[in-house]
């Protein structure tokens, strides 16, 4: 069956699980009423279903290519991007002063997820622009804002982020790109950047690069890094894209997936740029963009999972194989196929709810400036990114399995979801880095943000015990186990002991959060499909937290028990 935007799921989550209502009650987002939100979701769903989904396979079969120094995009992508831009979807959360809709990040997250499910390669283009828009809103000068933001928000121009270099991946402080002051308010930027998503295209007038580089005499490491806005074409006196800047696309990466999205090696040879933020403030400014992107990438994982699930469900409803006693006569009646489909659907719901909960915390921070909301948003961001992308990979993997041998055949389209989503666990900070951030930086408060979340989970479980005693007790007990593990991690002075169990701890936290949101759904839909799905998740998937927490509290000793020679033997 073709992709169907799960608008009803978002509406249910907004109303009954993640608490969008509290966001709308603030002055900042008071115009995002249920009627407005419903209209936005419906229109974004139509765009995703009718315009973007048909571009999924063409982008895979006909990748972007570099031709005489110009990136040529996949068939139909220009029209697809035009529809995104003209619909105002690039600037959905951007400041209305510069042409944005000013809607909550929660609504933006839902829209971006739908677009990711429909065509992840193309969705990356507006996602990159959205991150740049937010960075410029927070850190750029008024002159830069006035020139660039309206054009980025309208989609007339697109934006990128340039961090990685051949020798400086996750260790951004090792970069060697340099910038020199021209004495006229501009800087000359020189260096090479790799893995630049949508570093160029053939359907917008300009591409604006945010580039990390080091000024002369700047200290080593991240403290010496500054951020520069370097456009492909220099704006003329009227603000239009003018002459070409001194930069070029050297090559496009030959990737496992996301073939429709050009991933560029960029070369800057004294290219003209403008400083964004203070000298040495590059990482602070870039983290604004990266944190936006981390939630967005988590949503990409959920979107890919939704697309893969729908693709697998359609096949299971059609494929006849073996004897069945169910209602359809197809493989969907087999117990193991049902196990996979139920697990896929339950995990998509959990990951989607976690991402939207993170977005609500971001919106409440924006609207109120409250420190507790800010801490919650920071705490949930690595969980939303890592769990969302892990679910994306797992669901896409199960989708191939449901297709059987045909899943290994490219023509069915099942493998594309698995190939496309795989990189989401790597970019914007690998999932291992997300987990290390969770157990280190995000635990610098002594576990306060974590424990406030656990308090809420247990309070809701207590309230739900009369209605669903078995489900509520399971969630409450899991939360207590997670609290004990959190206390253990906070008691470890050696960060290696924390880092050794960081990934299983993050997944355990996500599992418990998943139980919490499913219990909320069961309470709101007692006797309905959502209660049935919650029972599956809480009874079959939530118990995984036990083994994960045992792993999380094992320390680092056994990881180093084998010498390097023994590992290689």
């Amino acid at each position: 069956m073709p992709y169907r935007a799960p608008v009803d799921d978002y509406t249910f989550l907004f109303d009954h699980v993640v608490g969008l209502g509290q966001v709308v009650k603030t002055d900042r987002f008071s115009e995002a009423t249920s009627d407005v939100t419903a209209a936005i979701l419906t229109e974004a769903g139509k765009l995703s279903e009718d315009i973007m989904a048909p571009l999924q396979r063409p982008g895979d079969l006909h990748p972007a290519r570099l031709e005489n120094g110009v990136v040529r995009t996949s068939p139909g992508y220009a029209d697809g991007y035009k529809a995104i831009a003209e619909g105002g979807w690039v600037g959905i959360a951007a400041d209305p002063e510069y042409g944005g809709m000013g809607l909550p990040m929660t609504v933006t997250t839902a829209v971006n997820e739908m677009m990711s499910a429909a065509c992840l390669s193309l969705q990356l283009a507006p996602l990159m622009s959205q991150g740049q828009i937010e960075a410029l809103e927070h850190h750029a000068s008024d002159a830069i804002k006035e020139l660039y933001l309206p054009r980025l928000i309208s989609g007339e121009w697109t934006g990128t982020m340039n961090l990685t270099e051949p020798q400086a991946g996750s260790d951004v402080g090792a970069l060697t790109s340099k910038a020199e002051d021209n004495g006229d308010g501009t800087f000359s930027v020189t260096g090479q950047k790799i893995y630049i998503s949508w570093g160029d295209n053939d359907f917008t007038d300009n591409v604006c690069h945010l580039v990390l580089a080091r000024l002369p005499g700047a200290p080593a490491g991240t403290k010496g890094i500054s951020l520069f806005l370097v456009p492909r074409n220099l704006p003329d006196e009227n603000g239009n894209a003018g002459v070409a800047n001194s930069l070029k696309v050297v090559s496009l990466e030959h990737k496992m997936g996301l073939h429709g999205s050009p991933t560029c090696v960029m070369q800057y040879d004294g290219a003209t740029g403008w400083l964004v933020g203070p000298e040495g403030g590059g990482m602070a400014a870039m983290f604004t963009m990266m944190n936006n992107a981390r939630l967005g990438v988590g949503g990409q994982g959920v979107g890919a999972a939704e697309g893969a699930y729908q693709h697998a469900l359609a096949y299971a409803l059609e494929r006849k194989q073996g004897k069945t006693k169910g209602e359809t006569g197809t493989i969907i009646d087999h117990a193991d196929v049902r196990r996979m489909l139920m697990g896929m659907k339950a995990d998509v719901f959990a990951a989607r709810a976690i991402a939207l909960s993170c977005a609500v915390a971001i919106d409440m921070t924006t609207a109120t400036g409250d420190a507790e909301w800010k801490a919650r948003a920071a705490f949930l961001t690595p969980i939303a990114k890592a769990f969302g992308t892990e679910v994306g990979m797992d669901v896409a993997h199960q989708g191939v399995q449901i297709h059987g041998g045909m899943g290994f055949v490219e023509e069915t389209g099942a493998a594309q979801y698995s190939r496309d989503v795989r990189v989401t666990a790597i970019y914007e900070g690998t999932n291992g880095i997300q987990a290390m951030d969770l157990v280190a930086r995000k635990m610098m408060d002594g576990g306060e943000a974590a424990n406030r979340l656990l308090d809420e989970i247990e309070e809701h479980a207590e309230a739900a015990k009369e209605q669903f005693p078995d489900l509520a007790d399971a969630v409450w007990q899991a939360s207590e186990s997670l609290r004990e593990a959190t206390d253990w991690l906070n008691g470890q002075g050696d960060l290696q002991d924390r880092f050794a169990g960081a990934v299983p701890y993050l997944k355990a936290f996500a599992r418990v959060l998943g139980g919490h949101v499913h219990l909320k759904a069961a309470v709101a839909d007692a006797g309905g499909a959502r209660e049935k799905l919650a029972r599956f998740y809480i009874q079959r998937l939530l118990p995984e937290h036990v083994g994960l927490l045992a792993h999380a509290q094992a320390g680092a000793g056994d990881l180093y028990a084998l010498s390097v020679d023994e590992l290689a033997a």
Side-chain angles (χ1 to χ4, degrees), residues 63-74 199-202 248-254 259 262-266:
R65 66 190 190 281
L66 187 61
E67 188 177 274
N68 297 323
V70 177
V71 170
R72 302 299 182 190
T73 55
S74 301
D200 195 19
N201 67 69
D202 56 1
K248 63 182 178 180
V249 179
V250 176
S251 63
L252 301 185
E253 303 292 355
H254 299 283
H259 295 155
T263 301
C264 303
V265 175
M266 301 295 304

Coordinates of all heavy atoms in Angstrom, one line a residue, residues 63-74 199-202 248-254 259 262-266:
P63 N 20.7 8.4 -8.3 CA 21.3 9.2 -7.3 C 21.7 10.6 -7.8 O 21.9 10.8 -9.0 CB 22.6 8.4 -6.9 CG 22.3 7.0 -7.4 CD 21.5 7.1 -8.6
A64 N 21.9 11.5 -6.9 CA 22.5 12.8 -7.2 C 23.9 12.5 -7.8 O 24.6 11.6 -7.4 CB 22.6 13.7 -5.9
R65 N 24.3 13.4 -8.7 CA 25.6 13.2 -9.3 C 26.3 14.6 -9.5 O 25.6 15.6 -9.5 CB 25.5 12.5 -10.7 CG 24.7 13.3 -11.7 CD 24.4 12.5 -13.0 NE 23.9 13.4 -14.0 CZ 22.7 13.8 -14.1 NH1 21.8 13.5 -13.2 NH2 22.3 14.6 -15.2
L66 N 27.6 14.6 -9.6 CA 28.4 15.8 -9.8 C 28.8 15.8 -11.3 O 29.4 14.9 -11.8 CB 29.7 15.7 -8.9 CG 30.5 17.0 -8.9 CD1 29.7 18.2 -8.4 CD2 31.8 16.8 -8.1
E67 N 28.4 16.9 -11.9 CA 28.5 17.1 -13.3 C 29.2 18.4 -13.6 O 28.5 19.5 -13.5 CB 27.2 16.9 -14.0 CG 27.2 16.9 -15.5 CD 25.8 16.6 -16.1 OE1 25.4 15.5 -16.2 OE2 25.1 17.6 -16.4
N68 N 30.4 18.4 -14.1 CA 31.1 19.7 -14.4 C 31.1 20.7 -13.2 O 30.8 21.9 -13.4 CB 30.5 20.3 -15.6 CG 30.7 19.5 -16.8 OD1 31.8 18.8 -17.0 ND2 29.7 19.4 -17.7
G69 N 31.2 20.1 -12.0 CA 31.3 20.9 -10.8 C 29.9 21.3 -10.2 O 29.9 22.0 -9.2
V70 N 28.9 20.9 -10.9 CA 27.5 21.2 -10.4 C 26.8 19.9 -10.0 O 26.9 18.9 -10.7 CB 26.7 21.9 -11.5 CG1 25.3 22.1 -11.1 CG2 27.4 23.1 -12.0
V71 N 26.2 20.0 -8.8 CA 25.4 18.8 -8.4 C 24.1 18.8 -9.1 O 23.3 19.7 -9.1 CB 25.1 18.9 -6.8 CG1 24.1 17.8 -6.4 CG2 26.4 18.7 -6.1
R72 N 23.8 17.6 -9.7 CA 22.5 17.4 -10.4 C 21.7 16.4 -9.5 O 22.1 15.3 -9.2 CB 22.8 16.7 -11.8 CG 23.6 17.6 -12.7 CD 23.0 18.9 -13.0 NE 23.8 19.7 -14.0 CZ 23.6 21.0 -14.2 NH1 22.6 21.6 -13.6 NH2 24.3 21.7 -15.1
T73 N 20.5 16.9 -9.1 CA 19.7 16.1 -8.2 C 18.8 15.1 -8.9 O 18.7 15.1 -10.1 CB 18.9 17.1 -7.4 OG1 18.1 17.9 -8.2 CG2 19.7 18.0 -6.5
S74 N 18.3 14.2 -8.1 CA 17.5 13.1 -8.6 C 16.2 13.6 -9.3 O 15.7 14.7 -9.0 CB 17.1 12.2 -7.5 OG 18.3 11.7 -6.8
G199 N 25.3 19.6 0.3 CA 26.3 20.7 0.2 C 26.0 21.5 -1.1 O 26.6 22.6 -1.2
D200 N 25.3 21.0 -2.0 CA 24.9 21.8 -3.2 C 23.7 21.2 -3.8 O 23.3 20.1 -3.5 CB 26.1 21.8 -4.2 CG 25.9 22.8 -5.3 OD1 25.2 23.8 -5.1 OD2 26.6 22.7 -6.4
N201 N 23.0 22.0 -4.7 CA 21.8 21.5 -5.4 C 21.7 22.3 -6.7 O 22.4 23.3 -6.9 CB 20.6 21.5 -4.5 CG 20.2 23.0 -4.2 OD1 19.7 23.7 -5.1 ND2 20.3 23.4 -3.0
D202 N 20.8 21.9 -7.5 CA 20.5 22.6 -8.8 C 19.1 23.2 -8.8 O 18.6 23.6 -9.9 CB 20.7 21.7 -10.0 CG 19.9 20.5 -9.9 OD1 19.1 20.3 -9.0 OD2 20.0 19.6 -10.9
K248 N 34.0 25.1 -3.7 CA 33.5 24.1 -4.7 C 33.2 22.8 -4.0 O 33.7 22.4 -3.0 CB 34.5 23.9 -5.8 CG 35.8 23.3 -5.4 CD 36.8 23.2 -6.5 CE 38.2 22.7 -6.1 NZ 39.1 22.6 -7.2
V249 N 32.4 22.0 -4.7 CA 32.2 20.6 -4.4 C 33.3 19.8 -5.1 O 33.3 19.7 -6.3 CB 30.8 20.1 -4.8 CG1 30.6 18.6 -4.4 CG2 29.7 21.0 -4.2
V250 N 34.1 19.1 -4.3 CA 35.2 18.3 -4.8 C 34.7 17.0 -5.3 O 35.0 16.5 -6.4 CB 36.3 18.0 -3.7 CG1 37.4 17.1 -4.3 CG2 36.9 19.4 -3.3
S251 N 33.8 16.3 -4.6 CA 33.2 15.0 -4.9 C 32.0 14.8 -4.1 O 31.7 15.5 -3.1 CB 34.3 13.9 -4.7 OG 34.6 13.8 -3.3
L252 N 31.2 13.7 -4.5 CA 30.1 13.2 -3.8 C 30.5 11.8 -3.2 O 31.1 11.0 -3.9 CB 28.9 13.1 -4.7 CG 28.3 14.4 -5.3 CD1 27.0 14.1 -6.0 CD2 28.2 15.5 -4.3
E253 N 30.1 11.6 -2.0 CA 30.3 10.3 -1.4 C 29.5 9.2 -2.1 O 28.3 9.4 -2.4 CB 30.1 10.3 0.1 CG 30.9 11.4 0.9 CD 32.3 11.1 0.9 OE1 32.8 10.0 0.4 OE2 33.1 11.9 1.4
H254 N 30.0 8.0 -2.2 CA 29.3 6.9 -2.7 C 28.8 6.1 -1.5 O 29.5 5.4 -0.9 CB 30.2 6.0 -3.6 CG 30.6 6.7 -4.8 ND1 29.9 6.9 -5.9 CD2 31.8 7.3 -5.1 CE1 30.5 7.6 -6.8 NE2 31.7 7.8 -6.4
H259 N 20.7 7.8 -1.4 CA 21.4 8.1 -2.7 C 20.9 9.4 -3.3 O 21.6 10.1 -4.0 CB 21.1 7.0 -3.7 CG 21.8 5.7 -3.3 ND1 21.3 4.5 -3.7 CD2 22.9 5.5 -2.5 CE1 22.1 3.5 -3.2 NE2 23.0 4.1 -2.5
P262 N 22.8 14.4 -1.9 CA 24.2 14.6 -2.2 C 25.0 14.9 -0.9 O 24.8 15.9 -0.2 CB 24.2 15.8 -3.2 CG 23.0 16.5 -2.9 CD 21.9 15.5 -2.4
T263 N 25.9 14.0 -0.6 CA 26.8 14.2 0.6 C 28.2 14.6 0.0 O 28.8 13.8 -0.7 CB 26.9 12.9 1.4 OG1 25.6 12.5 1.9 CG2 27.9 13.1 2.6
C264 N 28.5 15.9 0.3 CA 29.6 16.5 -0.5 C 30.9 16.6 0.3 O 30.9 16.8 1.5 CB 29.2 17.9 -0.9 SG 27.7 18.0 -1.8
V265 N 32.0 16.5 -0.4 CA 33.3 17.0 0.1 C 33.5 18.4 -0.4 O 33.4 18.7 -1.6 CB 34.5 16.1 -0.5 CG1 35.8 16.7 0.0 CG2 34.3 14.7 0.0
M266 N 33.6 19.4 0.5 CA 33.6 20.8 0.2 C 35.0 21.4 0.4 O 35.7 21.1 1.4 CB 32.6 21.6 1.1 CG 31.2 21.1 1.1 SD 30.4 21.4 -0.6 CE 30.7 23.2 -0.8

